[in-house]
Amino acid sequence: MTAKEQLARPGRRLVRPAPRDWLFAVGVGLVSVPLAFVAQGDNAHTPDVVGWILFALSALTLAWRRHYPMGTLVALIVVEGTYHSLDNAHSGLIAVTMVAIYALAVAGPRRRTLIVVPSLVGLSVIMLLLINPERGVELLRISGWILATAITGEAVRVHRNYVGAIVERAERAERTREEEARRRVAEERLRIARDLHDLLAHSITLIGVQTSVAAHVLSTDPERLDRETVAKALEDIAETCRSARGELRTTLEVLREQDVKADNRGPLPGLDGLSDLVEAARQAGARVEQTVRVRQAPPAVGAAAYRIVQEALTNAVRHAGPDPAVRVSLYEEQGALRVSVADEGTGPGADAGSPGFGLIGMRERARSVGGTLDAGSRSGGGFEVTAVLPLTTAVGEGTG
């Protein structure tokens, strides 16, 4: 591969100086012109034509200082060495040299600056002391300014890195805040979706069953109408609607608030509401046996258990067949709340429709408090949902 092809490869192209780099180089050269008329030493003189050409090349080399600081310094050594060897005014290129050393120190790294600048000054002083002691002593006299320039460049580099790190941390913190806000919005939307699914699925299932009971009573024997049964079914429907309306209002209030904290979501459903779920399932025709042996549970764990039992009972009423036998069991074991809802029904039939989000929602609720959930058909027939919810978890305390 030729040198031209290497320069054409991505990442290896020669960077062209920007217009401001050329202007800066020209400006340093113009500022240094008066110094070129100050001849020092017996043999030093004002630059001639060749000297001015070397002078201009030295100044223009600074245009590459930001992109190639080490290359710029090496080029200056060659051009300035020729300039000084012709006994041109030695003070003419002092500013150009200082700018090149400063640019090298600002670009870093520190190790390169600490090696290159002292080595360059030391070798230059030694060589001049051997060739021209007077000029060597003069260079030794101004070497302090050269080292000070390098130290100033290093200080500027450290300050720029410090400011850059602060800006980067601020930008990272801003991105983190935005990502956290998006995550919280997504979690809140998911929580509301789960609540609405559980609420509406449970309520609509109960209303459907209770409506079917009333319709069956009305159509079986109109002449011997059991008004008490019909009234009870309609009253159950009205109570289910009132309960669903209250929960729905609480859930929708979250959508209307601009800044809603976890504490402002209203009371979370808990284990004390399990008896209402069992009673509602019994009114829908299920034969439910309830066993609860739990002393106390964190609010988030209690809410997760409530929603899991609610969805499991809803599925049992919908899919387990007529008059399903359901066993609800909650108990503590090894620092965890174990939930089990098992039915002895026939399971979903061919007309059950496409799978919904019930099982997905139950698993999400279990995971929100650090627990696990399993659901599937039982070996002896029926369907069972089991969940293990840690009682000591601090995860998802605001989960509804």
Side-chain angles (χ1 to χ4, degrees):
M1 182 178 294
T2 64
K4 184 176 181 180
E5 291 175 342
Q6 289 180 348
L7 289 176
R9 292 176 58 190
R12 294 179 176 270
R13 297 179 60 183
L14 182 65
V15 179
R16 296 181 179 180
R20 63 190 181 98
D21 293 322
W22 290 111
L23 291 176
F24 179 84
V26 172
V28 174
L30 293 177
V31 171
S32 302
V33 167
L35 299 176
F37 290 95
V38 181
Q40 296 180 359
D42 297 333
N43 298 325
H45 56 77
T46 303
D48 52 13
V49 175
V50 176
W52 283 116
I53 293 175
L54 295 173
F55 182 93
L57 288 176
S58 299
L60 293 177
T61 303
L62 295 179
W64 280 273
R65 74 196 184 285
R66 292 192 302 114
H67 306 294
Y68 306 102
M70 189 63 195
T72 299
L73 185 61
V74 171
L76 277 178
I77 292 174
V78 175
V79 177
E80 286 192 24
T82 306
Y83 173 89
H84 290 299
S85 65
L86 298 177
D87 286 331
N88 294 296
H90 303 304
S91 59
L93 295 177
I94 291 179
V96 174
T97 305
M98 292 297 187
V99 170
I101 293 175
Y102 173 83
L104 180 72
V106 168
R110 179 183 303 172
R111 180 180 300 178
R112 183 177 67 181
T113 303
L114 294 178
I115 294 176
V116 171
V117 176
S119 300
L120 179 62
V121 173
L123 290 175
S124 299
V125 170
I126 293 174
M127 292 178 62
L128 286 178
L129 288 176
L130 295 176
I131 298 174
N132 189 333
E134 182 180 350
R135 289 174 57 185
V137 172
E138 180 65 19
L139 179 60
L140 182 63
R141 184 178 64 83
I142 65 173
S143 61
W145 290 102
I146 297 175
L147 295 177
T149 302
I151 293 174
T152 302
E154 175 64 21
V156 172
R157 185 187 68 83
V158 172
H159 178 71
R160 287 180 179 178
N161 291 344
Y162 175 74
V163 173
I166 293 177
V167 173
E168 182 181 359
R169 283 197 298 268
E171 293 176 350
R172 190 186 306 117
E174 183 65 24
R175 288 195 301 269
T176 302
R177 283 194 296 269
E178 293 176 355
E179 292 172 358
E180 179 67 15
R182 287 194 295 268
R183 185 186 65 82
R184 289 182 178 275
V185 170
E187 289 181 352
E188 188 64 15
R189 289 177 59 187
L190 182 60
R191 184 192 72 85
I192 294 172
R194 285 198 301 259
D195 286 349
L196 290 176
H197 173 272
D198 294 345
L199 169 63
L200 296 178
H202 180 72
S203 302
I204 291 174
T205 298
L206 294 181
I207 291 173
V209 172
Q210 292 157 352
T211 304
S212 298
V213 171
H216 177 73
V217 172
L218 290 173
S219 62
T220 299
D221 192 354
E223 296 181 357
R224 300 177 58 186
L225 181 62
D226 189 347
R227 297 179 180 275
E228 184 177 349
T229 302
V230 174
K232 180 66 167 60
L234 295 177
E235 180 60 30
D236 291 340
I237 293 174
E239 180 60 30
T240 301
C241 291
R242 283 193 294 271
S243 177
R245 187 167 57 248
E247 282 199 56
L248 186 60
R249 182 186 299 111
T250 301
T251 302
L252 294 180
E253 283 177 354
V254 177
L255 300 177
R256 294 180 177 273
E257 296 291 338
Q258 294 294 332
D259 299 312
V260 179
K261 298 181 180 180
D263 298 338
N264 296 335
R265 294 175 180 169
L268 297 175
L271 299 180
D272 53 352
L274 293 178
S275 57
D276 295 334
L277 294 178
V278 171
E279 182 60 28
R282 287 171 179 167
Q283 293 175 1
R287 293 176 285 113
V288 184
E289 178 184 344
Q290 177 185 4
T291 303
V292 179
R293 297 193 303 272
V294 182
R295 295 189 304 271
Q296 188 176 4
V301 176
Y306 177 92
R307 294 300 189 187
I308 290 172
V309 172
Q310 182 185 49
E311 180 61 24
L313 287 176
T314 301
N315 290 339
V317 171
R318 291 177 59 189
H319 303 303
D323 300 328
V326 185
R327 185 173 64 256
V328 178
S329 177
L330 289 88
Y331 58 95
E332 295 182 39
E333 184 179 85
Q334 297 179 351
L337 171 60
R338 298 183 179 269
V339 181
S340 174
V341 181
D343 65 69
E344 300 175 357
T346 58
D351 60 345
S354 59
F357 298 97
L359 293 178
I360 297 175
M362 286 192 288
R363 289 193 175 94
E364 290 175 348
R365 290 189 183 280
R367 285 197 298 266
S368 69
V369 293
T372 58
L373 183 138
D374 294 316
S377 301
R378 303 171 61 197
S379 58
F383 197 83
E384 182 176 13
V385 175
T386 59
V388 180
L389 310 177
L391 291 173
T392 57
T393 182
V395 181
E397 283 298 325
T399 302

